[in-house]
Amino acid sequence: MKSLHDMRGIEGAAHRAVARLFELGVLLAQGMDRELAKLGLSRARAEVIWRLHRGGPVTQRALSEALHCTPRNVTGLVDALEETGLVARRKHPTDRRATLVTLTEAGTNLAQSWDSGYRQLASDLFDDLSEDEVESFLAGLERIVARLRSAEGIS
């Protein structure tokens, strides 16, 4: 059995770190949900926009695989985003059976504003830390994320 002294050591620190990570996750999710609600978007719709912004036009099948959801679910997401003018369906240039989902100008502008928001959040969170402190934090975080991805079978 561990003594109280042992729990204040590495296991205690690890426990506190996990508690803070969960708190961080909740705070980030609440902030994201609040901002997305202002735009009338769900996280799933926002993820479609973000993936298209980062990776360019893709087929609905590719979106389905990337989002780990059914093609029918992706159809609903794309339909809703198309209705709001954020994405459009276009003919695939080389496969006449396929349709590409692409951002419209409004979708691109929205994603670019999110990029600006990320930069501002980074500034708000890390400006008072040295570059070495941020790099150290990032190195530890990358190891933790890699472990979680491995445990989930995500590459």
Side-chain angles (χ1 to χ4, degrees), residues 29-62:
Q30 287 173 341
M32 183 186 305
D33 289 343
R34 186 176 48 256
E35 294 303 312
L36 290 175
K38 292 177 187 176
L39 300 168
L41 292 172
S42 65
R43 281 191 215 175
R45 290 179 188 175
E47 186 173 357
V48 170
I49 293 167
W50 193 245
R51 284 182 180 275
L52 293 172
H53 177 62
R54 291 294 193 205
V58 295
T59 63
Q60 287 188 197
R61 177 180 298 279

Side-chain angles (χ1 to χ4, degrees), residues 82-117:
E82 195 170 37
E83 285 176 21
T84 60
L86 296 172
V87 304
R89 290 177 171 101
R90 306 273 189 246
K91 292 181 179 180
H92 194 288
T94 59
D95 183 351
R96 61 189 173 119
R97 297 169 297 153
T99 301
L100 290 177
V101 180
T102 186
L103 288 177
T104 62
E105 184 176 345
T108 298
N109 291 339
L110 179 59
Q112 288 172 343
S113 76
W114 291 344
D115 271 333
S116 296

